[in-house]
Amino acid sequence: MATLDSLKQALRQKAKATASSPKQPLSDTQYSAGFDILVRGSGWMTYQDFIIPQLSQLLAPLFNSRIHISALEIGPGPKSLLGYLPGRLRRKVRKYTAFEPNRLFATRLEEWLCSTSETESPLLCLENPPDIHRIPFVLQDNIGSGTGTSDDDEKYDIILFCHSMYGMKPKHRFIERALEMLVERPQGGMVAVFHRDGALHLNGLVCHRTASFPTGVVSVANNDEVLDCFASFVAGFTMQDVDVDKAIRVDWRKVCRALGRREEAHPDHLLFSSPNVMAAFTQHATTLPELTAQVPLVKGDKTVKNREARLHRPASIIRPTEVRHVQQCVQWALKHGVGLTVVGGGHSGHCLWPNVVSVDMGAFDQVHILTAGKDGGDSGSDSGSLVVAEAGCKTGDIVRKTMAAGVTVPLGARPSVGAGLWLQGGIGHLARLHGLACDAIVGAVIVSVDSSQVLCVGCVPSQHRPAGAVRPENESDLLWAMKGAGTNFGIVVSVTFKSYAAPTYLTRNWVVPLSDNLEARLRLSDFDKLVTRKLHWNCSADAYLYWDAGQLHLGVTMFESFTTRLTFATPTPTPVGGIWGLEVDFKAVDGVSLFETEMYVSGMHGGHDGGKTSSFKRCLFLKRIGEANVADRLVAAVETRPSPLCYLHLLQGGGAVGDVAADATAFGCRDWDFACVITGVWPRDQDGTEATRSAVRWVYNVAGDLLSLSSGAYGADLGPDPRDAALAAKAFGPNRPRLARLKHSLDPGNVLAYACPLPKAPMEQKLIILVTGESCAGKDYCADVWVSVFIRCTHRSLKARAVSISDAIKREYAAATGADLSRLLWDRAYKEQHRPALTTFFQGQVRQRPRLPEEHFLNVVYGAVDVDVLLITGMRDEAPVAALSHLVPDSRLLEVHVQPSEQTRRIRRGCHGGDGDGDDNKDSNNSGSNLTALDYRPSLIFDNDTTGNEAAKRFAEHYLLPFVHEDLQRLANMVRQVAEFPRPGIEFRHVLGISQQPGGLALCTSLLQSHFTGDWAKVDTVVCCEVGGFVYASALASRVDLPLVLIREAGKLPPPTVSVIKPPSHISSLASNNSKEKRIEMERDVVPRGASVVVVDDVLSTGETLFAVLQLLDEASIGAEDVSIMVVAEFSVHHGRELLRQRGFGRINIQSLLVFGGA
């Protein structure tokens, strides 16, 4: 699939070669027709999926910091990009100016922005009519010309280059001119550029932020009339001579049809790649000379290994030679609010990034070996030696120098990789014996990207601690993060490894031709079950699936390590040999020569080394590759390869890799048998061509196909490419929330923005409200009303936002079926037509990707990091609070079920646009108006049966605002956090300690009383179980004047009693391995049959204690329909609500005052 840029070059070359007639620029009508083709259908998805979300995310902090916004758009076309922002942002725009030289576009733009009786302006709050100049934007002042009346000194908060910078040369001068037009207040303004199909080379301007969208596609109808219009638009001209123009149109059609890609789903359309980039600049964009005056630059061109990175042109490449130079880079970045990238081995696709400063650590290239007793303290090293490797070292350098000293470090399998590999995992041939490279890290020297201080973390020999280095307060957290996600938290200067005795390796190779898919599956099954599962930890076996000489092959290399001298001339038998016979070859090699024995280096396709090929890789972790569902997908992947050189590399795991607990290091993906490296390969002389794009597309397609079968993804390859987002979501296993919090703490300015993406951590505890109900219930309308109530909250300054979670599945559905995404999102009648197919599609996706609802939920939450209150519509999950709360353990999750009468729903359904509901589902797959059909109870129910918004406002003020009241924060502040209790690794929350604080018990019982959503007048009894419940329940019962019923251990109450078995509490089980279940009891008949009961406890964690209480009440003939539960604190990470629901108590109303992560 050719890019639009390559299509443009081909069209212009064809015109130059075949026509001598003068060219003429496009008329406004011709340009307008071509532009409409560009943004139609799949072209609009670029705006929907990239431009509008990126613009919203970029501008939200700027707009939120100001009362009024003045905006200038350059080349907006027929509609303003600002007009597609969320309403809360659009309402801030009070002054609007545009340069649009196409008069047809200018007229349509003006009509769209100016209100009429039938149409509402997207910019409702403009203080004056829009000032639209029907002329190009030029380098000299021209604000006062055209149709506008603005003076030459007009300043703007935001300036947008909307649809690329074609015709603006040199581009950096136009951006510099725009920067001069920004407001000069302390916060300054921003220039944002959206550019299609081609890199922006900006002569040293430094981006505040940049993003890419490599998957943009333009779909063009394959008919002569449309192609004529589209080709002239892309070429940028027509021919003056009519006959010549007709002839060139015929040639241009042939060019379009030759370069466009056809797909079976849309055989009557041609597809062209249209990658987009966004670059944002502030007044700090021109400050690079300030840095280059202090620190040395790379001499000459910097060549890196990674093909993607080679295509990027950074603002500058700095080469520090001293630690203070690294500090100066960080200080400069923090001062000017820009990011940095770091170059180590140069294998990362994001070590160089367009218009961003790169820090090349190549001058830090020393390896130091400290033998036992040489100031290393307790190294934990089997050999007694420590290895200090500076961040510019390559794996080969370390292996060579350590081998000379008789030791080694378990690094990766390529000699040219650098620190990025060690810090993010490092899978090598000693991994099964000694673990990953990151597992061998015992210390590091790091330059903080928060303070620019030099930090000494863990075990660092004194002679390798830079002068002035300090130990951070969160040293243990930082060392933990270094071991698996270390590129995200600071610029690493050196790493200290524990070492092991240097081994000798025996390598053996087998190559098995495969006759068909069935044999391929059988061979993979044999390899998995009969070979790799029988190997000792000092052995590892790699497999390669590749195509060669017209046939599929399975190649196997076995690596066996020995620390004793090898004396035999022939190898000992192996499980592989017993199945496939003698190996092709075997060699005894040391750690240096081992690199050359890799099958892909010399044994496949004539060898992939020596600069002949380029490659692109992504890696997933798999188990049981011999199972049919996995093996079939692996074979199918190789069959669909776009180049004969593409292959799959399966590296064996297990052993010491899996012996490390998932949460012991940041590298959380431990449960895997094989790391599957999906490798797209093409001849190096085809870099940047369709061969490259096809191979990259194949890698991502295969990764997407295997993702649902994988146990994780390898983070070392991943970066800011949006196609990496789904993989990054599985890169760190259970450690993602902790890493997110550390990223926010250790890199608050996001200086290292281009490392492996981590989720964004909430700034504080967030209130998340899931707004559910049937279609036409009014969910979106209510959500918008409630957002306005939170924003106008008088006692707190709150940021609130409403989003629809169903938009994500609509995008996937549109991409899979060709449906019109913009109509799916905004056209109710069109959505209704697609509702059955969309539901079927969603259900099919969930069957393939069972965690898809969780992924969508987390993506929405992480995308709203800047808000205090998030309202989510479009939910499809049953019991969403129980199902999802463990994913956001530090946030409050509520469900508000919007329930209109059936008559109200029919009325709304009949009015197009009615309530504005954006979803297209019956939430929870149940009837929203019949709550008895649900097997759970929503947190709150809103009867939406009145017109207007007053009822919704009153509901929010009465039931929702209390959740953001400062009294809850006061109560939370009384809960002391105790580290390493009741055993190491546990962060304990002392909830009972509230009662020991002055005023604590009174505050807590007051909140328990006021937050109860039932009617205390209809409650008969308060029930509690020792010991935590006694403290709060007795005070609450006294306050509401109700009798208190005690549940105690068996034998402590007089008969007659009823009793049940209760497992040990969560904390008791943590404190002692000998905790046993016990019997609890209550007095018989102390609670009358049919009485209304409120159970009060201090915490809800696993739910086992409350389950036993509910069982006991049931034994006493108190039905679940008569019971409510109130707890002081909830620890949702332990799934307590879900346990109660699964055991039949889902319809009980459960309320908690506080929520916490951890124990």
Side-chain angles (χ1 to χ4, degrees), residues 71 221 301 346 349 483 725 922 931 991 1045 1056:
D301 292 333
K483 303 174 75 163
K922 292 184 179 181
L931 287 174
V991 177
V1045 173

Side-chain angles (χ1 to χ4, degrees), residues 11-309:
L11 294 172
R12 290 183 173 182
Q13 185 62 35
K14 176 62 71 173
K16 182 179 180 180
T18 60
S20 58
S21 170
K23 304 168 188 173
Q24 64 181 11
L26 300 178
S27 68
D28 286 355
T29 302
Q30 290 170 326
Y31 189 93
S32 174
F35 182 82
D36 287 345
I37 295 171
L38 184 74
V39 299
R40 189 183 302 158
S42 59
W44 173 248
M45 290 181 68
T46 296
Y47 290 82
Q48 192 66 52
D49 292 351
F50 176 65
I51 293 176
I52 295 169
Q54 285 291 336
L55 191 60
S56 301
Q57 189 176 354
L58 177 72
L59 297 184
L62 179 73
F63 279 38
N64 290 337
S65 69
R66 304 181 188 185
I67 300 173
H68 297 161
I69 293 290
S70 60
L72 167 63
E73 287 190 312
I74 299 168
K79 291 189 175 182
S80 162
L81 280 184
L82 296 172
Y84 292 100
L85 294 177
R88 62 190 173 81
L89 299 181
R90 285 187 281 117
R91 285 189 287 271
K92 290 284 188 82
V93 180
R94 300 302 174 88
K95 186 176 293 186
Y96 177 87
T97 304
F99 283 92
E100 180 46 71
N102 186 304
R103 293 185 175 274
L104 290 178
F105 284 169
T107 300
R108 288 163 62 183
L109 176 65
E110 190 167 33
E111 291 173 350
W112 194 52
L113 292 176
C114 296
S115 301
T116 67
S117 56
E118 295 86 13
T119 308
E120 188 178 78
S121 168
L123 302 179
L124 284 169
C125 300
L126 292 179
E127 295 172 347
N128 296 297
D131 192 6
I132 301 173
H133 303 271
R134 290 168 165 79
I135 56 175
F137 178 72
V138 295
L139 291 178
Q140 63 270 27
D141 291 336
N142 61 350
I143 292 288
S145 56
T147 63
T149 59
S150 306
D151 61 49
D152 291 347
D153 295 325
E154 184 71 59
K155 298 292 184 180
Y156 299 93
D157 296 291
I158 177 68
I159 299 176
L160 298 180
F161 291 84
C162 298
H163 305 288
S164 298
M165 299 183 71
Y166 293 134
M168 298 184 193
K169 296 179 181 179
K171 290 180 173 53
H172 72 274
R173 292 287 307 279
F174 282 85
I175 294 174
E176 288 168 354
R177 172 69 187 113
L179 290 170
E180 294 169 358
M181 299 168 65
L182 292 177
V183 293
E184 297 175 0
R185 66 183 72 180
Q187 306 100 314
M190 190 174 295
V191 173
V193 178
F194 289 94
H195 186 66
R196 184 185 304 111
D197 205 32
L200 282 169
H201 302 312
L202 299 177
N203 199 38
L205 288 181
V206 179
C207 280
H208 165 70
R209 184 175 151 208
T210 180
S212 66
F213 187 69
T215 55
V217 172
V218 173
S219 176
V220 183
N222 187 9
N223 67 64
D224 291 353
E225 183 179 355
V226 173
L227 288 180
D228 288 347
C229 180
F230 181 69
S232 60
F233 171 78
V234 173
F237 58 84
T238 59
M239 312 306 288
Q240 282 188 7
D241 185 278
V242 175
D243 293 331
V244 173
D245 191 59
K246 286 182 180 179
I248 201 65
R249 285 171 185 260
V250 173
D251 289 338
W252 278 355
R253 292 173 208 155
K254 293 177 181 177
V255 171
C256 290
R257 286 167 177 148
L259 295 181
R261 194 178 81 190
R262 296 167 176 82
E263 291 186 343
E264 291 183 11
H266 307 284
D268 55 346
H269 280 70
L270 302 174
L271 302 181
F272 297 93
S273 173
S274 179
N276 268 254
V277 295
M278 181 208 75
F281 304 87
T282 66
Q283 282 99 333
H284 301 284
T286 58
T287 60
L288 181 59
E290 178 185 321
L291 177 63
T292 56
Q294 302 178 66
V295 295
L297 299 174
V298 163
K299 295 179 181 178
D301 292 333
K302 173 68 179 178
T303 301
V304 296
K305 298 286 291 185
N306 188 276
R307 176 209 60 90
E308 298 167 275

Side-chain angles (χ1 to χ4, degrees), residues 494-510:
S494 69
V495 172
T496 305
F497 295 102
K498 59 184 176 181
S499 66
Y500 299 87
T504 300
Y505 300 88
L506 184 67
T507 68
R508 323 177 200 213
N509 289 302
W510 289 262

